[in-house]
Amino acid sequence: MPPVSPTKKQPPTFFVFGDSLVDNGNNNFLITGARADMPPYGIDSPAHIPTGRFSNGLNIPDVISEYIGSEPLLPYLSPQLVGQKLLVGANFASARVGILNDTGFQFMNVIKMPLQLEYFKEYQQKLVSLIGEGQAKQVVNKAVLLISLGGNDFVNNYFLFPGSARSLSNPLSNYIPYLIDEYRKILEKLYELGARKTIVMGPGPIGCAPAERMQHSLTGECAKDLQDASGLFEPMLSQMVQDLNAKYQAQNFIASNNKLMHEDLIDNPTAFGFKTSKEACCGQGPLNGMPGFCTVTSNLCKNRDEYVFWDAFHPTERACRLIVQQIMNGTQAYMKPVNLNLMLSVE
């Protein structure tokens, strides 16, 4: 096959790493309980079928792909990811993973971060075979990366149950700096592998997810402990990104304030055209908040656009679209030091 070279008019290659907020189907190929390959997931997708996205339709990476003029990414484990499809990029994310390797242990067979990074190296070898080493390096250097981590390190690790191993061995004041340090190592590894334009997301307002409201409050209020944790994490993540940019003397990383983006919608849903931010569209139990219970037998709202949350933890497609608007065009309150549009405008 002759070399395939991207042209100036082509959108940048796009890579995605992390957890279920950005997974688009890798877990479909794994024997794991962390899957979204059954109805009613995907009910509003183009084909109206489950795709492995934890959404009623598109998720955050899909909407970013639309903005940059690219086709949706394929999961890295998809057998369709061959040939010229490699130039579009790849999604390495896997639901339930965290910054730490012991996060998500209860789900088994998820693609933890060391393996996602190994797959990225493997991908690059495939790209070299397609277009040659020099061009492959250029493609990766100019690519946009998105990484979403941190939420599961609280929900499925530290706060998994009262007296969890992590919470007993580490006060939150020690645990969060430890998470930040481990996240830094992941980002430094991505830089070593050629990443130069990386959007870094942390946990959103995890205490306000319907699952946490249901479990921690009889009146549906946000879980204070989890909210406090994400509130402490966010400024430390922003500072860590700033430190990395200083280390590399370039704006290689953008801190995306995922917490603030979600809180806008959660605190004032009617201002954005939503009916509720407390109750999930799909689920069972109070607030449809029982984790893992968005199934064919679940309650299902008629109009997904009226809900901030699709299931017990994940936003609807419409909420994702509003979040991506901030990723693309947001002020420094949301995207620091620059938004994605500004990053893409600088070669």
Side-chain angles (χ1 to χ4, degrees):
M1 179 181 291
V4 181
S5 176
T7 67
K8 290 182 179 179
K9 293 184 179 179
Q10 283 185 309
T13 304
F14 186 25
F15 302 113
V16 176
F17 302 84
D19 54 27
S20 59
L21 279 176
V22 293
D23 182 2
N24 70 343
N26 277 308
N27 282 20
N28 289 358
F29 300 93
L30 305 173
I31 300 173
T32 177
R35 295 166 69 116
D37 59 345
M38 75 294 289
Y41 284 96
I43 189 171
D44 298 312
S45 67
H48 306 289
I49 58 173
T51 62
R53 292 161 173 83
F54 287 77
S55 171
N56 59 303
L58 304 183
N59 63 9
I60 289 171
D62 295 322
V63 183
I64 292 176
S65 291
E66 288 183 355
Y67 268 92
I68 65 177
S70 176
E71 61 187 81
L73 293 179
L74 288 170
Y76 182 68
L77 297 183
S78 170
Q80 299 175 41
L81 187 62
V82 293
Q84 294 187 39
K85 291 286 186 183
L86 293 167
L87 289 170
V88 178
N91 188 317
F92 302 90
S94 178
R96 300 296 189 263
V97 305
I99 297 167
L100 305 181
N101 277 341
D102 61 331
T103 293
F105 70 91
Q106 65 271 42
F107 295 97
M108 303 176 61
N109 288 329
V110 293
I111 311 172
K112 297 181 180 180
M113 285 312 301
L115 184 53
Q116 289 189 31
L117 295 174
E118 282 300 312
Y119 281 158
F120 188 35
K121 290 166 67 175
E122 185 179 273
Y123 162 90
Q124 292 190 40
Q125 289 304 310
K126 295 177 182 179
L127 193 61
V128 167
S129 298
L130 182 69
I131 60 176
E133 188 170 351
Q135 287 195 46
K137 181 179 180 181
Q138 186 179 45
V139 165
V140 173
N141 286 164
K142 292 184 175 182
V144 172
L145 281 78
L146 174 69
I147 182 166
S148 168
L149 288 171
N152 288 322
D153 296 285
F154 294 110
V155 172
N156 290 317
N157 195 327
Y158 195 88
F159 292 107
L160 181 60
F161 52 83
S164 67
R166 282 286 181 186
S167 63
L168 288 175
S169 61
N170 284 288
L172 207 56
S173 58
N174 291 342
Y175 183 65
I176 293 175
Y178 173 58
L179 285 181
I180 293 291
D181 190 51
E182 293 300 306
Y183 206 163
R184 178 200 298 267
K185 293 174 184 176
I186 293 168
L187 298 179
E188 289 174 333
K189 184 63 176 178
L190 283 172
Y191 184 89
E192 290 174 17
L193 294 172
R196 297 295 182 268
K197 297 178 180 179
T198 303
I199 305 161
V200 183
M201 295 172 62
I206 46 179
C208 294
E212 302 303 335
R213 291 180 188 264
M214 182 200 77
Q215 293 176 61
H216 292 90
S217 172
L218 294 175
T219 56
E221 299 306 307
C222 298
K224 185 179 185 304
D225 286 351
L226 277 83
Q227 285 298 91
D228 289 346
S230 60
L232 290 168
F233 188 97
E234 176 55 43
M236 294 180 70
L237 176 68
S238 181
Q239 183 62 51
M240 182 262 283
V241 165
Q242 184 178 325
D243 293 345
L244 281 177
N245 285 335
K247 174 181 176 179
Y248 297 122
Q249 298 183 331
Q251 294 181 350
N252 297 128
F253 298 95
I254 300 175
S256 174
N257 194 330
N258 196 31
K259 182 175 185 291
L260 181 58
M261 292 175 188
H262 280 82
E263 279 182 341
D264 284 350
L265 311 182
I266 289 168
D267 292 346
N268 196 5
T270 56
F272 296 90
F274 294 106
K275 183 176 74 174
T276 179
S277 59
K278 282 190 174 184
E279 183 180 346
C281 167
C282 177
Q284 297 179 27
L287 303 178
N288 284 336
M290 290 180 66
F293 280 86
C294 177
T295 67
V296 290
T297 60
S298 297
N299 302 315
L300 180 66
C301 68
K302 290 183 179 179
N303 187 350
R304 273 71 69 182
D305 287 348
E306 293 180 345
Y307 287 71
V308 173
F309 283 95
W310 158 246
D311 64 11
F313 285 106
H314 304 97
T316 58
E317 176 181 323
R318 182 162 178 268
C320 287
R321 289 188 174 279
L322 291 168
I323 289 164
V324 174
Q325 283 181 18
Q326 295 290 5
I327 291 173
M328 297 303 303
N329 302 302
T331 64
Q332 285 206 350
Y334 297 90
M335 302 293 292
K336 192 178 290 185
V338 294
N339 59 45
L340 183 53
N341 266 331
L342 284 172
M343 177 176 267
L344 290 174
S345 70
V346 178
E347 280 295 333

